[in-house]
Amino acid sequence: MLATAAYAQPSQGNIYRVLGEINMVRTSGCQCGNQWMPPVQPVEWNHELYKVSNKYARYMAANKHFDHVSKSGEDLGDRLNNIGYDWAKIGENLGVGYDDFFDVLEAWKESPSHCKMLMDADMTDMGLSKHKSYWVQSFSKEPMSIVSASPQ
């Protein structure tokens, strides 16, 4: 699931399945370590976040590099800025060694820092990709549009 050709959108069924599971956690609340995280709003699938996640999962697999920062020093903010993605807040979960989405999701729920990222109430959008056994989940809060009042 979600292991597709570079940048090709996963099937709608896979997106709904993954998003449904993540949003079930978000809207139910979750115990993150010793802290209860109350229910939060669901996130929406974002193709741009998917593309960035897919590219970074492929990079990590090709370079046998597992870190939020690439060997050249780029982090998620840099990767998003490089494609012109406008964001107000971002976050990222990584996983390696899991073949199945449900296994990596369970590992993220059991890790307090990953769980808190899943439950971050500020996040509105998400993309997720897997390449080989490398998983990248990218979250963002897009900036609010500024609506100017027109003179009457």
Side-chain angles (χ1 to χ4, degrees):
M1 181 189 308
L2 299 179
T4 59
Y7 312 122
Q9 182 77 6
S11 74
Q12 203 62 32
N14 280 344
I15 290 172
Y16 286 139
R17 185 174 172 204
V18 166
L19 208 51
E21 290 296 324
I22 290 165
N23 283 331
M24 186 172 17
V25 173
R26 288 178 61 87
T27 59
S28 299
C30 192
Q31 187 70 36
C32 295
N34 61 6
Q35 182 179 359
W36 171 253
M37 302 297 290
V40 295
Q41 293 295 315
V43 290
E44 294 182 12
W45 183 261
N46 182 293
H47 185 65
E48 296 303 311
L49 292 176
Y50 163 75
K51 289 192 316 187
V52 166
S53 297
N54 183 274
K55 185 176 180 181
Y56 196 59
R58 290 173 178 282
Y59 164 84
M60 287 193 301
N63 291 280
K64 305 276 189 274
H65 179 78
F66 183 68
D67 196 293
H68 291 282
V69 179
S70 72
K71 290 180 178 182
S72 65
E74 287 187 339
D75 63 14
L76 177 59
D78 298 318
R79 294 189 288 275
L80 291 172
N81 291 341
N82 288 343
I83 65 165
Y85 186 84
D86 196 14
W87 53 271
K89 183 177 178 180
I90 54 173
E92 181 178 63
N93 280 338
L94 303 179
V96 67
Y98 302 96
D99 290 324
D100 183 74
F101 165 72
F102 295 100
D103 292 337
V104 76
L105 179 60
E106 193 59 35
W108 286 334
K109 286 171 31 183
E110 291 175 6
S111 163
S113 63
H114 293 91
C115 182
K116 288 176 183 176
M117 184 75 265
L118 281 170
M119 296 301 297
D120 190 322
D122 289 337
M123 298 306 176
T124 57
D125 295 278
M126 185 206 77
L128 171 71
S129 187
K130 173 194 178 211
H131 184 70
K132 298 187 178 178
S133 67
Y134 289 83
W135 293 84
V136 179
Q137 182 180 43
S138 302
F139 290 95
S140 76
K141 174 184 179 181
E142 293 184 12
M144 292 181 63
S145 299
I146 299 174
V147 180
S148 59
S150 51
Q152 298 292 338

